[in-house]
Amino acid sequence: MALLAAIGLTVSACGGGGGDDDESSDSTTSVITARTTEPQNPLVPQATNEVGGGNVIDMLYAGLITYKEDGSQEMEVAESITSDDNKLWTVKLKDWKFSDGTPVTATSFVDAWNYGALSTNAQNASYFYYPIAGYEAVQEENPTVKTMSGLKVINDKTFTIELNQAESDFPLRLGYSAYYPLPESAYADMKAYGENPIANGPYKLEAWEHNKELRLVPNEEYDGLRKAQNGGVTFVVYTDTEAAYTDLQAGNLDVLDTVPDSALQTFGDDDTVQAVTAPGSVNGSFQFPVDLPGFTGEAGKLRRQAVSMALNREELTEKLFFGTRTPALDFSAPPMPGWTDEIPGNEVLEFNADEAKKRWAEAEAIEPWGDKKLLIASNTDGAGNKASIDAMANQIKNTLGIKAEPKYYATFDEFLDDRDNNKTGALFRAGWQPDYPSISNYLGPIYGTGAASNDAGYSNPEFDALIAKAAGAETDEDRYKAFVDAQAILMEDLPGLSMWYTDATGAAAKGVKNVKFNWQNVPVYQNITK
């Protein structure tokens, strides 16, 4: 049986992470308000791969396992997950209920995963089922089967998962939202269900007022490891983090998961708020669509490398983010098991104006750039986005002497819609918050052929083979070596620009207690009180 690994990421807080004691308040009935962005899609786990919806879904649902604050794992709905050969896994469930009182059964999981994997359902998280036998058949454009052959319901409390190959760390991913269960009633009208989902996690949805707020209240049917310590969490939708920070200072917002540009240098000394920080597991990157004019073929590869080397990551992180971000040396993040900065070819991530100009000139000799313009696309309702992209455009212009400018979207969901449908016509922002604690989670979903978050359309069979090799490795040493080899390919092809590792930087209002960030750079909302 595989052992589930722990990251051991340390979480710390400036300002104590607590607040002034208030003996007259009842923390278990106090509702916590927290900043969010409008979810892109209805609240269906298999349809969601962005933080606005993802943070809410993680509070509404419980998976087979759950991740503790440091990234280590504990059984949640699963009683046990065992295997004799790391290929055929047997899952046994605890007694568990959805918020409507119906039982969570083996079918609740198997049907949800089959729904998520079926190509005609077009679910954003479909890629995550690729290890399961029969996945390729249900992923065909016109599938003749609708269920994966590797999933078998034995009885209400037991099901088996047959993989395409032995994977000792497969259970590690089973706490991710793609693997959450769904009640039988969801399938009658999935879109309508996503507007008013039935929970099996610590909270249930009371109301969703689009572009305004999502109100979550404790789920009385939940008896798991993440019990609500407050009276609920209301996620307030903001399109401007400056406005959210102002509300926090005034006590009109309790928790802010990201600090605006204007406050990054001073929020630690702001006596109107409590500053909260933690080491970062988020990788900030920008992706080149494979069909972006001027960036295809051999000339395109040289231009991607030139743009990367024209960007001074150290200057950007120091002057704009005041040490809350660190220049990237790979495509994952340092807290991950097996992380190393010794990736062949990663000098392409270092600022080198002369080499950048040289490679751009080599590209010109193959295919002239002409009067084209490089656009850099992003939403502006996230902290740091506008300032960093303005600065990146200027660095590219100054080093390469080409036209480069931002292409801004007012909201995250608008940006995601164009990004998902290859309509940006630009180098686009693609920050990655890990779904489960593994380097594989940074590489496969973003750069694997046909992967759910591979919005740039990159494909390299050699890279795909190395990700598969890592998954099937019998030892950690072999797994980590495969990750290094896979990243060496990315350094050569450079389908995306890995820019920086982002620390968790947030804040809480005075009087708010127990504010900590977990291994995903997300506040542990169920523990927050006031």
Side-chain angles (χ1 to χ4, degrees), residues 130-190:
Y130 77 88
I132 300 173
Y135 170 77
E136 290 187 359
V138 300
Q139 272 287 292
E140 292 180 359
E141 185 175 354
N142 296 301
T144 57
V145 294
K146 294 185 178 182
T147 59
M148 292 180 282
S149 60
L151 296 178
K152 304 289 185 186
V153 173
I154 306 302
N155 54 50
D156 279 353
K157 293 289 185 64
T158 309
F159 69 99
T160 59
I161 310 166
E162 183 183 358
L163 307 182
N164 291 310
Q165 63 174 11
E167 296 191 16
S168 60
D169 67 346
F170 176 74
L172 184 65
R173 69 190 68 195
L174 295 179
Y176 176 51
S177 58
Y179 296 98
Y180 289 161
L182 290 172
E184 184 179 356
S185 60
Y187 303 98
D189 186 339
M190 193 63 74

Side-chain angles (χ1 to χ4, degrees), residues 225-305:
L225 301 167
R226 298 177 290 141
K227 290 184 178 179
Q229 303 302 307
N230 48 52
V233 179
T234 295
F235 286 97
V236 183
V237 176
Y238 284 89
T239 58
D240 181 3
T241 52
E242 299 282 352
Y245 191 76
T246 299
D247 279 353
L248 191 82
Q249 290 174 308
N252 298 323
L253 183 71
D254 294 325
V255 181
L256 182 59
D257 60 342
T258 184
V259 175
D261 304 346
S262 62
L264 277 175
Q265 189 173 16
T266 60
F267 81 107
D269 299 318
D270 186 343
D271 60 9
T272 67
V273 303
Q274 302 173 76
V276 187
T277 62
S281 60
V282 170
N283 177 286
S285 69
F286 289 78
Q287 308 294 316
F288 289 98
V290 293
D291 57 356
L292 188 64
F295 288 92
T296 61
E298 185 61 29
K301 180 191 291 189
L302 289 166
R303 286 201 172 99
R304 294 192 295 273
Q305 295 169 355

